[in-house]
């Protein structure tokens, strides 16, 4: 009995942005060893089918319950892989698993728990256009499901003032139609209208669409739930190309401010 218990684990893996070639070999090996897969239906569906593992699918909003379920299964000796898109530590399931451990059954702390990194949306989106994250940047989740909207506005304003390149995860959803428009309004008060804005939708899927537009012309309706938005810093440049989308990059050097 105790032998079986010792074999249980929870491995939290990131499946990358969509293309199966962007799943790491390490994550694939974990998936191959699983007796149970836990995750949001859309992500579990992305795991290549093989006979064997039980698929526990759930609604996107039930993250903490899903994490507790995974831990309960592992405590009974199951080999559980929890799946997220992108990287599991970026606005995803890994933090939910640790919240559940922090607040839950003390015995869960002794379990074999591991997190395997994945390619996050901002990294795959950035690579498509060039190197917009070549200098200091930050990531902000525009969803106000788990934090007050006032805090999002404060972070946007301060990140803009600090001249970070800003990546925006979860820019819109059916329940949150106006937040991205408001974010652009805030950024326009600080950033120049020609600042490049990248809308990267469904990166690495058949539906992939990438557009780079100036901030002055960025329209929130361009984004959907599978869009990652990158707003350049004052240093971000575009390189125009004949008949091809521009490259976008942020130079690695920022010159010293002129002394007053
Ligand atoms: N853990 C994930 C992020 C989950 S939050 C990661 O590291 O990528 C979900 C948000 O991620 C979406 O609203 C969207 O902003 C972004 N996203 C996820 N997959 C994407 C893709 N293939 N293309 C563009 N954006 C994506």
């Amino acid at each position: 009995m105790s032998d079986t218990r010792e074999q249980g684990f929870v491995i939290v893996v990131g499946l990358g942005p969509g293309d199966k070639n962007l799943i790491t070999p390490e994550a694939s090996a974990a998936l191959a060893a699983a007796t149970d897969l836990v995750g949001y239906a859309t992500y579990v569906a992305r795991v290549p089918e093989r006979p064997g593992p039980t698929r526990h699918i759930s609604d996107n909003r039930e993250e903490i319950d899903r994490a507790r379920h995974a831990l309960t299964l592992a405590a009974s000796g199951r080999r559980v892989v929890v799946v997220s898109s992108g990287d599991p530590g970026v606005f995803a399931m890994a933090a939910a698993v640790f919240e559940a451990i922090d607040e839950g059954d003390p015995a869960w702390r002794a379990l074999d728990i591991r997190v395997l990194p994945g390619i996050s949306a901002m990294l795959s989106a950035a690579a498509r256009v060039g190197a917009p994250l070549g200098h200091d940047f930050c990531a902000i989740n525009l969803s106000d499901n788990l934090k007050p909207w006032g805090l999002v506005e404060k972070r946007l304003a301060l990140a803009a003032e600090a001249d970070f390149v800003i990546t925006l995860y979860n820019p819109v959803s059916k329940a949150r139609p106006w937040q991205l428009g408001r974010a652009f309004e805030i950024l326009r008060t600080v950033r120049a209208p020609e600042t490049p804005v990248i809308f990267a939708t469904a990166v690495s899927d058949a539906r992939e669409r990438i557009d780079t537009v100036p901030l002055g012309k960025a329209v929130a309706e361009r984004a959907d739930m599978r869009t990652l938005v990158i707003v350049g810093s004052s240093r971000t440049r575009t390189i125009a190309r004949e008949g091809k989308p521009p490259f976008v990059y942020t130079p690695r050097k920022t010159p010293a401010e002129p002394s007053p």
Side-chain angles (χ1 to χ4, degrees), residues 14 16-19 43 46 60 84-93 118-125 141 168-172 176 199-205 208-210 224-229:
D19 183 343
Y43 304 146
R46 268 169 50 189
N60 204 11
S84 280
S85 75
D87 178 273
V90 176
F91 308 130
M93 279 305 293
I119 298 176
S120 191
M122 68 179 176
L123 303 180
S124 54
N141 188 339
L168 300 174
Y169 281 76
N170 286 306
V172 288
R176 295 182 296 100
F199 290 91
T201 302
V203 176
S204 86
D205 273 8
E208 175 175 307
R209 185 178 156 202
I210 316 250
D224 66 12
M225 283 177 72
R226 291 210 65 214
T227 302
L228 190 281
V229 179

Side-chain angles (χ1 to χ4, degrees), residues 9-212:
F9 61 62
V10 174
I11 304 183
V12 195
V13 310
L15 298 175
D19 183 343
K20 62 176 174 8
N21 289 316
L22 299 178
I23 302 177
T24 67
E26 182 183 49
S28 296
L31 292 166
T35 57
D36 297 78
L37 300 175
V38 173
Y40 173 44
T42 313
Y43 304 146
V44 173
R46 268 169 50 189
V47 177
E49 284 281 354
R50 69 173 169 89
T54 309
R55 292 173 177 243
H56 307 263
I57 58 175
S58 56
D59 184 78
N60 204 11
R61 289 184 167 236
E62 299 161 358
E63 279 150 352
I64 204 78
D65 292 341
R66 201 186 297 159
R68 287 193 195 106
H69 186 47
L71 290 158
T72 306
L73 287 166
S76 75
R78 310 288 296 177
R79 299 192 297 275
V80 185
V81 172
V82 177
V83 293
S84 280
S85 75
D87 178 273
V90 176
F91 308 130
M93 279 305 293
V97 167
F98 292 110
E99 279 169 41
I101 295 171
D102 209 4
E103 295 159 6
D105 183 347
W108 286 348
R109 296 174 187 219
L111 290 170
D112 178 8
I113 313 278
R114 276 168 281 160
V115 180
L116 306 182
I119 298 176
S120 191
M122 68 179 176
L123 303 180
S124 54
R128 279 290 191 261
V129 297
L133 307 182
H135 199 55
D136 298 348
F137 64 90
C138 66
I140 299 179
N141 188 339
L142 271 202
S143 168
D144 54 352
N145 289 340
L146 299 174
K147 63 189 168 190
W149 176 252
L151 181 61
V152 180
E153 291 209 357
K154 181 176 174 185
R155 288 190 175 150
L156 285 165
L158 293 175
E161 188 190 325
D163 207 18
F164 284 114
V165 172
I166 302 172
T167 66
L168 300 174
Y169 281 76
N170 286 306
V172 288
S173 77
K174 284 196 191 85
R176 295 182 296 100
W178 55 266
Q179 280 83 346
L180 180 61
R182 177 73 190 121
F184 285 149
E185 266 175 40
I186 293 167
L187 297 174
R188 280 186 191 114
T189 63
V190 182
R191 296 271 159 97
E194 58 275 13
T195 305
V197 174
I198 299 146
F199 290 91
T201 302
V203 176
S204 86
D205 273 8
R207 209 166 66 78
E208 175 175 307
R209 185 178 156 202
I210 316 250
D211 297 309
T212 302

